[in-house]
Amino acid sequence: MVQSQIAARGIRDEAILSAFAEVPREIFVDEGMEEFTYEDTALPISSEQTISQPFIVACMFDAAEVSTGDRVLEVGAGSGYAAAVLSRIVDRVHAIERYEVLARQAAERIDRLGYENCEIIVGDGLKGLRHAAPFDAILVAARLETVPETLKRQLAIGGRLVIPVGDEDMQQLMAVTRTGEDEWTSRDISMVRFVPLLEGVVAEDGSRSASDHRSMSSASLPEAIARACEPLPEIDGDSFAAHFDAYADKRVVMLGECSHGTHEFYAARAAITRRLVERHGFTIVAVEGDWPDAAAYHRFIIGQKQPDAANLPFQRFPTWMWRNTVMPPFLDNLRRINETLPEGRRAGFYGLDIYNISGSIEAILAYLDENDPEAAAVARERYGCLNPWQSDPAIYGKMALRKGFAECEEEVVRQCRELLNQALENDGGSFSAAMNARLVASAERYYRIMYYGGAESWNLRDSHMADTLEHLLEQGGRDSKAIVWAHNSHIGDARATDMGAVRGEHNLGQLARERWGDEVALIGFGTHTGTVSAASDWDGGRQVKSVIPSRRDSYERLFHDCGVPRLLLDFNSHPALSQRLSEPRLERFIGVIYRPETERWSHYSEAVLPRQFDAYCWLDTTNALEPLMPHEDHQGTPETFPFGL
C-alpha cells in the first residue's frame, strides 16, 4: 500500500511513509473485511460508515507539512485511522468526532495500539478545540463552503489548516497558513470530494467517506463519467454482454485489451462474442494470433476433423495468450452455437498475425501434397531459403542484412500470388492455403526489415492484419460480420496516439475506419490495478505481477476516480463529455512484457481516448490470466485436440 498507493503518487516525506507502514489498518475495518484492508479505496466500517482512501489522508498530511514536535487537531476522526497514523509523526493529536458511536470505537482502537499521544473527543468540529489551541496544523476531513474563522484563529503563527472548500459536487483542497496575528495566506492543492461538515453531536449512525476525485484539468470529470456511463454487472451471465447490443448493427466490432495477460478482458470478450454470434449474426472471430494456429481452433468449432499428427496450436511465446482457462469453454460454446445454426451462419475462428512462418509453410505444403504434388515440389524448392530459419525467423532477418545474402522475397511472393489466384475458385482449402502463403510473404519481409527499426515493421504487421480481415469479409460474402480481439494498441485509432502523431505508425483500427467507416466500432478496455500474467523479457517465463495503480495524470485515474467498478462509456453518445476528455492524457499499455520498475516510460503513452475509441469498457480491478496446464497427449481424443485435455 505504502509503495504503490502513496509513494508512487508523489508523497516523498519519509516520516509520513514510515507512519503509514507502522499502523495496522486492518483493526480500523469491520471483521470480515480484513482481506481488503490495503486496497486503494474507501472501505466500510461500523454503522455503515467508511474508512477513507489511504492516499488522500497522506496527501493532507503532506500539505499540512506535519513533523516531529507538532501539535495537531483533526476535525472528523471517523474510524480513528488518520489520527493513529498522524500520532506516529507528531507530538500530540487531538481528534474530534461528532458521532458518538464512531468516537467510542476510534478511542478503543487507539487504546489497543497504545498510542498515548492521541486523544479522541466527541464534539462539534466547527468549534475546534479552544482549550488545546494553538495548533501547528489542523486537518478537516469534511467539506465546507468557506474556511471557518474559528479554526483559522486556533492556528499558531506559521501553522497550516488543510480543508476541502466548495459545493456539493467538488471541492478545492486548500492549505491556509497563518502568517501573522490577523494575516493568512492560502494555496490550492487539488480537487477532491468530501461529505459535508455538520454542526453538533449525534449519537445515531451517519454517513461518512472521503475519496480522491482528481483530474488533470476539470474537477468534475470523474463525476461526469459516472453520470454518463452504463454501469455493468458481473461478467458472468448474459446481462453483461447485453450492454454491447448497441454495436450489433456494425459490420466490424473490435474488442481491445490494455494487457495481454488479464483474465477479465478475455472473459468479457468471450461473453460479448458469444452473444454477437448467437443473436446478431456475426460469422468471423479474428484474433491477434497466427493463422495456422487459429486454424486448429477453427476446425474444432465447426466440427471438422483435425489433421493426423497435428501439432498443438499456439506453442510460441507467449503461450498464455491463446492457451488459457478462458478459451476451452469459449470455443466449446461457439461449437455448440454453430451446431444450431445453418451452414452459412456459422462462426469461424481466424488468426490475423504474421509470426508463425513455420506453421504456415507446413500448412501450404500439406495442402499442395494432397491437391497438387508437382506444385508441392516447386514450393519446397522456393521455401528452401527459409528452411534454416523456421524455428527462429528473427535470425533470418538479421542474416538478410548482410551484404550478398540472398533474400527470399521474390520466391515467397510468387508462391503467394499463385495460391491467391487458386483461391478465387472459392475452394475452402485453397483459401486457407492462400492465407498461409500471404503470412509467409508478409513475415519474410517483416523479419527482414525489423532490424532497421522505425515504423515500417509495425506498419507492415498491422497492414497484413487489416488485409487478412478484409479477405475474410470478402470470402464470407455481403452478410459477413466480424469480431476482432486485439490489444488496444492495435484496435485504437493510431492517429489519436503517439503512435501516429509522433512515430508515423498506423494500425488495424485506423485502417479499419478508413476502409469501412461508420460500420466499425472500436471498443477499448482498461483497468486501474490488480494482477497480470506477463514476462520480464521477451521469451521469458510467465509471472504473476502486481499492476501498479494508475497514475494521477492518466485516463485510467479518471475512470478509477468515478467510483464505478465496471462500466461502458459510449463516446459518440456523449459529445460534450467526449470534448472535455479530448485533452491528451497518458494511457497505459501492457503487452506480454510488464516492467513495473520503469512503468512510466515502458507502458504509458499520450493519447486522446474519445478519438482513439468509439467506446471504452472499464474494469477497475482485474486478475492475472491463468494458462492451461500442459498436457500434450491428444492421440485418440480428437474432439478435445486444440488443448489436449
Side-chain angles (χ1 to χ4, degrees), residues 343-375:
E343 186 172 348
R345 272 270 288 109
R346 292 173 187 167
F349 190 95
Y350 308 95
L352 300 177
D353 223 335
I354 64 174
Y355 287 117
N356 194 347
I357 288 181
S358 177
S360 286
I361 290 177
E362 290 176 5
I364 294 166
L365 295 178
Y367 169 77
L368 291 176
D369 281 339
E370 183 176 347
N371 294 277
D372 192 342
E374 291 184 7

Side-chain angles (χ1 to χ4, degrees), residues 2-311:
V2 174
Q3 292 175 356
S4 64
Q5 298 176 28
I6 301 174
R9 295 179 187 170
I11 303 298
R12 298 287 181 262
D13 190 312
E14 287 297 331
I16 294 176
L17 300 178
S18 297
F20 273 94
E22 179 181 347
V23 177
R25 192 168 188 252
E26 60 269 18
I27 76 166
F28 294 90
V29 302
D30 277 359
E31 185 178 353
M33 293 297 296
E34 292 88 351
E35 65 177 298
F36 306 109
T37 295
Y38 295 99
E39 292 192 358
D40 186 25
T41 185
L43 291 174
I45 57 176
S46 62
S47 304
E48 300 182 355
Q49 310 308 300
T50 62
I51 176 174
S52 296
Q53 182 181 0
F55 170 69
I56 197 169
V57 179
C59 183
M60 294 180 73
F61 291 179
D62 192 53
E65 301 177 23
V66 294
S67 62
T68 303
D70 283 352
R71 299 177 69 255
V72 179
L73 173 66
E74 184 194 23
V75 176
S79 69
Y81 177 65
V85 177
L86 195 57
S87 73
R88 303 301 85 199
I89 304 170
V90 304
D91 183 65
R92 186 71 184 174
V93 178
H94 303 273
I96 301 176
E97 174 52 53
R98 67 186 295 265
Y99 293 103
E100 282 188 4
V101 63
L102 290 180
R104 183 177 65 254
Q105 291 171 345
E108 291 172 353
R109 292 166 180 143
I110 299 297
D111 288 344
R112 194 188 322 166
L113 291 170
Y115 294 169
E116 296 180 355
N117 65 332
C118 183
E119 176 187 25
I120 306 295
I121 304 159
V122 179
D124 183 351
L126 276 174
K127 297 177 181 179
L129 201 63
R130 189 179 302 275
H131 73 271
F135 298 102
D136 299 294
I138 300 175
L139 306 175
V140 181
R143 72 172 185 265
L144 285 165
E145 293 186 0
T146 59
V147 179
E149 190 71 18
T150 304
L151 297 183
K152 289 168 59 178
R153 291 285 178 183
Q154 292 185 23
L155 284 173
I157 303 298
R160 293 158 299 280
L161 166 64
V162 177
I163 181 172
V165 178
D167 58 22
E168 180 180 357
D169 291 332
M170 279 288 170
Q171 305 91 46
Q172 178 66 246
L173 189 64
M174 299 175 59
V176 179
T177 303
R178 189 172 190 177
T179 57
E181 190 63 30
D182 294 303
E183 295 177 347
W184 293 266
T185 61
S186 66
R187 64 182 178 91
D188 294 341
I189 301 167
S190 172
M191 301 309 301
V192 290
R193 192 180 184 195
F194 279 84
V195 294
L197 183 67
L198 303 178
E199 297 183 65
V201 177
V202 291
E204 68 273 16
D205 293 346
S207 178
R208 167 183 307 276
S209 69
S211 59
D212 182 19
H213 280 261
R214 299 179 169 215
S215 70
M216 280 186 61
S217 62
S218 175
S220 58
L221 269 176
E223 187 172 35
I225 292 171
R227 290 176 177 176
C229 74
E230 293 181 55
L232 297 175
E234 296 284 350
I235 294 173
D236 296 337
D238 204 42
S239 58
F240 174 88
H243 287 266
F244 295 81
D245 285 351
Y247 309 102
D249 62 338
K250 304 294 184 181
R251 191 172 190 201
V252 178
V253 175
M254 295 195 176
L255 304 175
E257 59 183 4
C258 69
S259 89
H260 279 319
T262 298
H263 171 85
E264 284 78 5
F265 296 155
Y266 283 77
R269 294 186 298 187
I272 297 163
T273 300
R274 287 195 302 268
R275 186 175 178 92
L276 292 180
V277 168
E278 186 170 24
R279 302 194 180 202
H280 300 292
F282 282 76
T283 54
I284 296 164
V285 181
V287 304
E288 186 187 338
D290 294 324
W291 180 277
D293 298 274
Y297 289 4
H298 173 75
R299 288 189 289 268
F300 176 79
I301 68 172
I302 64 172
Q304 192 177 90
K305 184 179 182 297
Q306 302 289 349
D308 294 336
N311 294 321

